[in-house]
Amino acid sequence: MIVRHRWIALLAAPLLSLALPAHAALRVLACEPEWGALAQELGGTLVDVAVATNALQDPHQIQAKPSLIARARNADLVVCTGAELEIGWLPVLLQQSGNAKVQAGQPGNFAAADFVRKLEVPTVLDRSQGDVHAGGNPHIQTDPRNIALVAIALGARLRQLDPAHAADYERRQTDFAQRWQQAITRWSAQAAPLRGMSVVSQHKAFVYLYDWLGLKEVAVLEPKPGVEPTASHLQEVLASLKGSPAKMVLCAAYQDARPSEWLGKNAGVAVVKIPFTVGGSDGAKDLFGLFDDTVARLLAGAAARP
Ligand SMILES: [Zn+2]
């Protein structure tokens, strides 16, 4: 009996650790909801994901609150857009966290924009031209092909930080990549009627979306990136549309839509609110819903007769 008990004790030890409540291997802090959603897709129960901003917050400028600093302090991996999108708050957050693992250049610091081809990279950096980013336009998540590229790099980073679960991450990544490619094919086909259509943007937030779907940006409501639209600039845009009419005006879920609504009313163009990230609309519950809803809203805007 004693011998048998001893055997049970030996067997029970490793079994017990497996039977413990799911203990995530990696603590991830994502700057924006789309990267939180992607980390969750690729990490499943192996990651514990917190997100610094929600879809109704302007990711260019948020407060590094104490709760956020605390989350950064014990993170194993910080996943952000990069390309200076978070330049106003992330460096402060990382510095105040005192967490050596997630500082720039460390494996625990992942910038999604490093892994895609950037658009609107300025040839001359002139900050007087507004919120111009040296690394190009940072709003890369509006093109699902960019999400696919980031997924490859993020999957590799998860395996690097948690090699014990490399096979699990690999499996999840392959599965995600397959479902994502199928979805891109579907979205691209659905959005085919949009190709060549002229649109106005409230903020220069959709260049990657336009690049993917072949939309043509003919005007921007902000006089300079990050500068609120002024009455005089709106009048200029309205006048310019007489020469080159637009079908719709796009604004992101986090933005005050009034400038777009003003243009919609005065220029007779449809106003399309883009979820922009996961949680930006009822339909954008996850990454797949984000693009299902984005494409559906664009098609509805294109078909509307305001
Ligand atoms: Zn921006």
Side-chain angles (χ1 to χ4, degrees), residues 201-289:
S201 314
Q202 183 162 324
H203 173 66
K204 272 198 154 291
F206 313 109
V207 288
Y208 297 90
L209 179 70
Y210 302 158
D211 183 59
W212 170 42
L213 297 179
L215 290 162
K216 209 173 114 210
E217 185 177 74
V218 294
V220 181
L221 299 187
E222 289 180 354
K224 293 172 182 177
V227 177
E228 285 302 311
T230 58
S232 64
H233 183 70
L234 288 177
Q235 290 292 351
E236 279 171 35
V237 170
L238 182 60
S240 78
L241 292 182
K242 295 206 163 68
S244 54
K247 190 72 197 172
M248 44 189 157
V249 53
L250 279 69
C251 64
Y254 74 84
Q255 292 179 305
D256 178 347
R258 281 176 295 179
S260 289
E261 281 157 6
W262 181 88
L263 189 78
K265 197 162 59 142
N266 289 282
V269 300
V271 179
V272 178
K273 199 147 202 177
I274 298 293
F276 199 57
T277 184
V278 173
S281 68
D282 287 344
K285 286 185 169 37
D286 59 13
L287 286 170
F288 291 87

Side-chain angles (χ1 to χ4, degrees), residues 58-60 85 131 133 137-139 203-205 222 225-226 254 276:
D58 180 350
H60 304 83
L85 176 63
D131 212 353
H133 303 293
N137 190 301
H139 304 295
H203 173 66
K204 272 198 154 291
E222 289 180 354
Y254 74 84
F276 199 57

